[in-house]
Amino acid sequence: MVEKPASQADVGGEVEAHKERKGLWSPEEDERLYTRITRHGVSTWSSVAQLAGLRRSGKSCRLRWMNYLRPDLKKEPISKREEETIISLQKSLGNRWSVIAGKMPGRTDNEIKNYWNSRIRKRQTLSTGGGKGDSGLAKQGDLPAADDKASVLAGPRGKEPVSSMASGATVPPVPARFPMFACQLLGGGGGAAAIAAAGTTESTTTHQNNGAGSESDAASVGNGSAAGDDGREGHYYYCAVDGDIDMVHLMSFDDLLEYPAGDLLMDAWDQNGLYSTN
DNA sequence: AATGGGCCCAACCGCGACTTT
DNA sequence: TAAAGTCGCGGTTGGGCCCAT
């Protein structure tokens, strides 16, 4: 960043006492900020900065608290399942990192954004041939727009999923992005689907068993695979939370966000630790 | 051992939204 | 109602670490 961690000339220093500090936070600054907030809370961030005796902007204090000092933050790396969630939510919400973070307790928008930018997006770029077909993905804005409802509901990547199915037929809405730790597919005939867990890659077509499949709490997913056997009528999904089956007509994880009780479900999942590593 | 490149992530910046006066 | 202040968000930057050469 801009400068080395303070200590010499900063907190309480004389020469540049009027100047606002920037750059990395020193342990002392952290301590001051943490103590101030845990003891007195936050009225306004600028006042927190002052009262804590920090030569930082309120903005900087807020950021430090939100992204680093908050006691409820998870310290462990983002799990596979959380990554799934990020992918799903990003697909349906776009780069609304704060909203996404709001659905992932213990994670910050900055963390998620960084994770997305440094890993997922890169991987997606690679997996899609790095390029043109996927509009390059050179920038975040090139990803599917959040409010592109049609594209969202049509399936991953905004197009109807490609499949080996007969022409014209709507591809069964196998939940490529659904966190299948506890969901069942209803209706339809055919053999058991191979889906064990939601896909982890950006593949638009490999809806089945395309990653994270080894996770043991995966759902039992019923009939009507995307392979195209008949009897696809329906394709509803049960979402089971701790044994209680709550039927939801979901086509994808994206739909969950639109579902009236979607928030409740997600909360339940959160409470059951279904978003975290096991 | 030196160094160059890539990656990760903490933190800054600019801007729009919201709140207060 | 308008202006000023503050907050929160998304995008971007750049320091430092790690690894390959």
Side-chain angles (χ1 to χ4, degrees):
Chain A
M1 240 72 354
V2 185
E3 52 188 292
K4 299 284 176 216
S7 66
Q8 305 103 308
D10 34 43
V11 187
E14 260 181 284
V15 181
E16 299 187 325
H18 58 287
K19 261 195 176 175
E20 208 167 71
R21 253 185 61 74
K22 290 183 182 178
L24 294 181
W25 283 65
S26 67
E28 184 187 351
E29 287 177 301
D30 280 347
E31 171 72 25
R32 286 191 185 209
L33 182 62
Y34 183 86
T35 304
R36 175 72 209 175
I37 293 179
T38 50
R39 287 190 187 162
H40 303 99
V42 176
S43 49
T44 68
W45 284 107
S46 45
S47 72
V48 166
Q50 270 191 335
L51 294 168
L54 294 166
R55 290 188 293 108
R56 295 274 182 174
S57 68
K59 206 172 179 175
S60 178
C61 291
R62 178 189 159 272
L63 204 66
R64 187 61 178 172
W65 175 259
M66 293 297 194
N67 290 339
Y68 189 78
L69 294 176
R70 256 165 59 200
D72 60 322
L73 292 179
K74 285 186 186 172
K75 300 298 180 192
E76 63 267 27
I78 289 177
S79 68
K80 200 75 187 168
R81 189 158 292 142
E82 285 175 309
E83 180 181 307
E84 277 301 306
T85 305
I86 293 170
I87 293 171
S88 296
L89 292 171
Q90 197 281 339
K91 185 167 289 300
S92 51
L93 295 170
N95 298 353
R96 293 162 68 187
W97 307 117
S98 60
V99 179
I100 294 172
K103 308 237 176 241
M104 300 180 67
R107 300 298 183 190
T108 71
D109 55 353
N110 205 37
E111 188 178 17
I112 292 169
K113 178 173 57 180
N114 281 335
Y115 191 83
W116 175 267
N117 286 336
S118 66
R119 307 192 192 185
I120 300 174
R121 190 167 58 118
K122 186 169 301 169
R123 201 183 312 153
Q124 290 179 351
T125 305
L126 290 175
S127 75
T128 52
K132 18 156 51 164
D134 205 28
S135 54
L137 287 183
K139 304 189 59 170
Q140 296 183 348
D142 292 331
L143 288 159
D147 35 19
D148 188 353
K149 251 331 186 289
S151 78
V152 165
L153 295 178
R157 312 300 306 160
K159 294 290 283 182
E160 78 272 42
V162 184
S163 84
S164 55
M165 306 196 48
S167 59
T170 312
V171 176
V174 177
R177 295 285 164 232
F178 199 80
M180 291 194 208
F181 29 75
C183 73
Q184 283 187 324
L185 173 60
L186 291 183
I195 305 170
T200 56
T201 69
E202 187 45 9
S203 164
T204 64
T205 60
T206 52
H207 288 164
Q208 300 188 23
N209 202 19
N210 57 351
S214 58
E215 306 219 7
S216 57
D217 58 350
S220 65
V221 177
N223 307 323
S225 76
D229 38 2
D230 241 343
R232 291 183 257 117
E233 67 279 353
H235 290 94
Y236 299 151
Y237 296 86
Y238 276 139
C239 298
V241 176
D242 232 11
D244 286 338
I245 305 265
D246 186 3
M247 188 170 86
V248 186
H249 300 185
L250 294 172
M251 294 180 173
S252 71
F253 189 26
D254 306 319
D255 290 359
L256 180 60
L257 300 168
E258 305 299 326
Y259 183 69
D263 280 356
L264 294 177
L265 269 173
M266 294 175 90
D267 287 348
W269 292 338
D270 286 346
Q271 283 159 21
N272 283 279
L274 292 172
Y275 278 146
S276 49
T277 350
N278 28 3

